[in-house]
Amino acid sequence: MKRKGDFGDKADESRIDVDKPLWSQDTYLGRWMHYNFITDCRTILVPKNKLWEAKKLCEDYKARKEPEGLQRKDIIYAKKLRDSAFHPDNGEFMHVIGRMSFQLPASVALTTAMLTFYKSAFSVITCQLVNQGFNAFVNYTNRNAMSDDPQDTNIIQQAFILATAASCAAALGFRKLFAGRGTLFARFVPFYAVAVGNMINLPIMRQREITRGIPIFTKNGEEVYIMKTQVAAVKGISECILTRIIMAAPGMLMVPVITQRMQSYRFYKLRPWITVPVEIGLCILCLLVMIPSALAIFPQKNSMKPELLKIYPEEYKIFREKMGQRKHPDKVYYNKGL
């Protein structure tokens, strides 16, 4: 015999938590599914008013005020639109160019341009200027927003200019360093420039996180704030740098090799124009796989052992004071951004 609350309990079980990923973030596959879900480039075509409607539907759903007859697939799609367009820390509406869902079309265009126009200094400067300007915008958009301050406008503008200039200088330096070492090797220069550019660009654009620290917390069912730490900020930004380099590597290293091999075939010699379409197709294929694959390497809310704070003794001292007589957790958690 069913009790009165049985149907309500089942209804609760079927509801999703719109503030959490649909898949477990403790496994690589779960993270891959999550990032594949929120980086779907089709969401960039959705009008702004529809994105705001999706956000409101998610808020209504949380408050159990959703429209009658709302289907599960509808709330999942609304969550997809909200997660792709609004910052997870502060709910800020993100410009379409800075969203991770814009990575595929933008990266395909930029990667193809860098692999095609690599011979002249002017082309290198132009491509890297656009690429690093785009990266700086993406890095700022996907920062850990918990370190934001309303007075940061001038700092952001200065960081944008410095990051872009430093990255372009790195590109030119690599071009000069590897000049005269063969056509194939020369075509790898854009990847080295992008890798070094990310090492420069990302820390500069997110310097406020390093100087102010980012929050760390314990996680035992609920998140409990402990303190802000620079150690976690450096670790999180380092993970993001590695992610971006791995994301770019297959397309920028494999595509030149494949197109170089194509040049020995008679079919290519009769149709040299085919190089660009082939490069575009290969870049799309690589990035479709690598965007979620690279982002899934580290959980967005990653962890570290509290002992790592000993790198900065003053922070470890504050940590011990904050914990007091309580047992120190095995791990503390932080939001690394994307």
Side-chain angles (χ1 to χ4, degrees), residues 17-196:
D17 187 339
V18 292
D19 289 335
K20 293 181 179 179
L22 298 173
W23 298 271
S24 170
Q25 298 301 283
D26 295 331
T27 66
Y28 179 81
L29 180 60
R31 295 194 295 274
W32 192 94
M33 294 290 288
H34 170 66
Y35 287 117
N36 189 53
F37 179 71
I38 66 171
T39 61
D40 186 343
C41 64
R42 292 173 295 180
T43 61
I44 65 176
L45 302 175
V46 178
K48 185 176 180 179
N49 64 311
K50 295 290 184 185
L51 297 173
W52 281 102
E53 287 174 10
K55 184 181 182 187
K56 186 178 185 305
L57 180 57
C58 289
E59 291 169 353
D60 290 344
Y61 185 83
K62 280 171 59 179
R64 295 179 177 268
K65 295 179 181 177
E66 70 272 17
E68 190 174 343
L70 179 71
Q71 295 186 18
R72 184 180 176 88
K73 64 178 183 179
D74 295 328
I75 188 60
I76 288 176
Y77 183 64
K79 172 178 167 57
K80 180 178 191 172
L81 294 181
R82 187 203 64 177
D83 290 355
S84 71
F86 294 88
H87 198 287
D89 291 343
N90 56 14
E92 175 187 280
F93 183 75
M94 298 186 290
H95 192 283
V96 64
I97 294 175
R99 298 177 204 162
M100 279 296 167
S101 52
F102 193 71
Q103 279 285 305
L104 179 63
S107 296
V108 167
L110 289 166
T111 301
T112 304
M114 284 187 284
L115 293 177
T116 304
F117 307 109
Y118 65 94
K119 294 181 180 178
S120 71
F122 177 77
S123 298
V124 170
I125 292 172
T126 303
C127 287
Q128 287 301 324
L129 191 65
V130 175
N131 181 52
Q132 295 306 331
F134 170 71
N135 283 344
F137 194 83
V138 171
N139 293 337
Y140 172 71
T141 302
N142 294 280
R143 70 204 181 280
N144 182 321
M146 293 179 183
S147 298
D148 282 358
D149 188 288
Q151 308 300 319
D152 283 341
T153 306
N154 290 334
I155 295 174
I156 293 165
Q157 291 172 349
Q158 292 166 10
F160 183 91
I161 294 168
L162 183 59
T164 305
S167 301
C168 288
L172 286 174
F174 271 100
R175 182 177 179 274
K176 188 172 182 179
L177 183 64
F178 297 125
R181 298 200 179 186
T183 305
L184 182 59
F185 199 82
R187 297 199 70 189
F188 289 153
V189 170
F191 170 70
Y192 299 130
V194 166
V196 173

